């Protein structure tokens, strides 16, 4: 079942489209890694998804209901940009305050449960201003858990964390996903960290979805491929597809052919040459995860 589905979702600020025809699909049980560079439109998308901003165009369905639907919106917990924490209050006091503002039932019990879930002690009296970055971020996730949501929207919860903080956050998200069945959308510009937990990815650049892909598809795509440049690429592709019964191949911009199956490079060269097609470049390529994302996000400059 689709937990989030957007169709042509767009948001314009003055003359800039921060989100531009975004079609996003998050399925029940997903940990969805929403990846993009600074200014790509991640926070804006999350604000639209939790009703903090209104789309200029397009539609959003949450649990199959339009975003206007209050019952659907109540099933969403969100942490967008910085958590609004009161620095002089402790973590527990912050949670109790928000629980009261939300008018939750039995707030004290919920707060204690949440503190335990996010790994903060209920007896912790320290004011939040003395918290480490990791503790603050986990408390932020705790705030998003108030009200027992089925969907969590988290905007860069690992931003600024040290490796230990990142590991703790990763484990927290996995636990929420596996033990409580929460569907989680988590944005990041850090590639590798999400790859350890994400079941699906959306790559956003300049407000547009560059690619949406499951973890399984990604693993497949990151295996070896045969890279090929030749004269008449369309003709070559059709020929190779028929000759080698290819299923997994693609035509890249500028006529580069990539074959993701085990084929004998020499045989490929022979078939092309016999058909009078000149081979300009051919070689095996191994693509890692990092390279895959960088390529789709338009280079390494800002990451
Ligand atoms: N309230 C606003 N008014 C005007 N422009 C905005 C506003 N919010 C965002 N933008 C612009 O929209 C674009 C997308 O911003 P957004 O904050 O969604 O990106 P992001 O992917 O979250 O980036 P970051 O990684 O820096 O958090 C940017 O060009 C930003 O300057
Ligand atoms: Mg942002």
């Amino acid at each position: 079942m689709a937990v989030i589905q957007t169709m042509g979702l767009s948001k314009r600020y003055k003359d800039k489209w921060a989100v531009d025809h975004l079609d996003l699909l998050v399925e029940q049980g997903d940990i969805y890694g929403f990846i993009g560079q600074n200014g790509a439109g991640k926070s804006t998308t999350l604000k639209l998804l939790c009703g903090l901003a209104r789309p200029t165009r397009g539609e959003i369905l949450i649990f199959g209901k339009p975003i206007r639907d209050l019952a659907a919106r109540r099933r969403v917990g969100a942490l967008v940009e910085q958590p609004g924490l009161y620095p002089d209050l402790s973590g527990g006091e912050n949670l109790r305050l928000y629980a009261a503002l939300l008018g939750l039932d039995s707030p004290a019990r919920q707060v204690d449960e949440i503190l335990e879930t996010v790994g903060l002690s209920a007896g912790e009296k320290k004011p939040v201003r003395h918290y480490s970055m990791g503790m603050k971020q986990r408390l932020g996730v705790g705030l998003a858990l108030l009200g027992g949501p089925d969907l969590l929207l988290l905007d860069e919860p690992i931003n600024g964390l040290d490796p230990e903080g990142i590991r703790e956050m990763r484990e927290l998200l996995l636990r929420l996903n596996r033990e409580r069945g929460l569907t989680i959308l988590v944005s990041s510009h850090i590639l590798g960290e999400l790859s350890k937990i994400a079941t699906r990815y959306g790559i956003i650049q300049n407000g547009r979805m560059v690619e949406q892909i499951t973890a399984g598809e990604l693993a497949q795509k990151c295996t070896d491929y045969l890279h090929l440049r030749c004269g008449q690429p369309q003709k070559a592709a059709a020929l190779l597809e028929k000759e080698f019964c290819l299923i997994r191949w693609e035509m890249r911009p500028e006529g580069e052919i990539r074959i993701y199956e085990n084929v004998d490079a020499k045989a490929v060269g022979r078939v092309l040459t016999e058909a009078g097609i000149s081979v300009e470049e051919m070689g095996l390529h191994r693509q890692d995860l990092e390279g895959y994302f960088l390529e789709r996000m338009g280079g390494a400059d800002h990451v």
Side-chain angles (χ1 to χ4, degrees):
M1 186 188 97
V3 170
I4 306 175
Q5 188 171 14
T6 71
M7 286 142 291
L9 183 63
S10 305
K11 176 73 179 177
R12 190 179 60 202
Y13 289 117
K14 299 201 179 103
D15 53 356
K16 181 176 170 73
W17 289 94
V19 174
D20 194 359
H21 289 91
L22 200 75
D23 297 329
L24 193 134
L25 179 71
V26 180
E27 298 271 2
Q28 173 106 45
D30 268 343
I31 296 183
Y32 185 101
F34 192 42
I35 298 174
Q37 297 174 342
N38 293 131
K42 302 180 296 295
S43 298
T44 305
T45 304
L46 268 77
K47 283 180 199 159
L48 294 168
L49 293 178
C50 64
L52 280 175
R54 283 169 67 116
T56 311
R57 288 195 195 135
E59 264 191 85
I60 302 172
L61 297 178
I62 303 279
F63 297 103
K65 300 266 169 48
I67 184 98
R68 297 180 293 282
D69 187 285
L70 217 60
R73 237 157 65 192
R74 285 217 180 93
R75 297 175 68 185
V76 183
L79 170 63
V80 180
E81 289 182 335
Q82 296 303 309
L85 298 173
Y86 292 89
D88 293 328
L89 302 183
S90 71
E93 286 166 341
N94 266 282
L95 282 166
R96 276 192 286 281
L97 184 69
Y98 276 100
L101 289 174
L102 289 169
L104 298 182
D105 295 334
S106 52
R109 207 194 63 229
Q110 261 200 57
V111 167
D112 286 351
E113 259 178 41
I114 288 175
L115 283 170
E116 194 188 323
T117 304
V118 300
L120 294 169
S121 142
E124 180 70 73
K125 292 284 184 294
K126 193 157 70 172
V128 160
R129 71 188 135 85
H130 293 317
Y131 274 23
S132 71
M133 190 74 181
M135 289 167 83
K136 278 187 200 158
Q137 291 294 58
R138 279 183 282 128
L139 181 56
V141 175
L143 288 177
L145 287 172
L146 282 168
D150 297 309
L151 167 65
L152 265 191
L153 305 174
L154 304 174
D155 193 17
E156 308 226 32
I158 56 179
N159 210 1
L161 300 188
D162 59 18
E164 175 66 9
I166 291 174
R167 192 183 57 77
E168 283 168 358
M169 182 60 72
R170 216 165 40 217
E171 282 170 4
L172 170 59
L173 299 187
L174 272 180
R175 220 164 46 236
L176 291 170
N177 177 251
R178 292 197 181 142
E179 292 171 15
R180 304 229 191 144
L182 269 140
T183 302
I184 302 174
L185 182 149
V186 50
S187 79
S188 183
H189 62 274
I190 305 172
L191 321 165
E193 297 312 327
L194 282 187
S195 69
K196 297 186 175 120
I197 57 172
T199 56
R200 194 184 295 264
Y201 300 89
I203 305 172
I204 184 175
Q205 186 193 6
N206 291 327
R208 288 176 176 256
M209 187 71 84
V210 181
E211 187 166 24
Q212 198 164 227
I213 186 170
T214 67
E217 288 164 348
L218 181 66
Q220 246 186 17
K221 283 209 178 187
C222 286
T223 53
D224 285 342
Y225 64 81
L226 183 72
H227 150 92
L228 180 65
R229 274 187 202 285
C230 58
Q232 310 170 66
Q234 299 293 349
K235 186 178 165 194
L239 183 65
L240 294 175
E241 187 172 36
K242 186 155 160 277
E243 194 70 31
F244 296 94
C245 303
L246 296 180
I247 298 169
R248 292 193 298 118
W249 66 275
E250 66 172 338
M251 178 73 75
R252 306 275 305 164
E254 295 165 15
E256 182 202 351
I257 297 170
R258 291 185 179 180
I259 300 171
Y260 297 96
E261 289 174 39
N262 254 335
V263 284
D264 177 5
K266 277 193 204 126
V268 167
R270 198 169 51 238
V271 165
L272 293 177
T273 313
E274 277 169 12
I277 298 171
S278 61
V279 176
E280 290 154 16
E281 281 177 29
M282 184 159 67
L284 270 180
H285 188 281
R286 180 156 194 94
Q287 194 173 37
D288 64 8
L289 213 58
E290 193 102 351
Y292 185 86
F293 284 121
L294 285 176
E295 199 171 283
R296 271 145 187 85
M297 294 197 301
D301 308 4
H302 310 290
V303 177

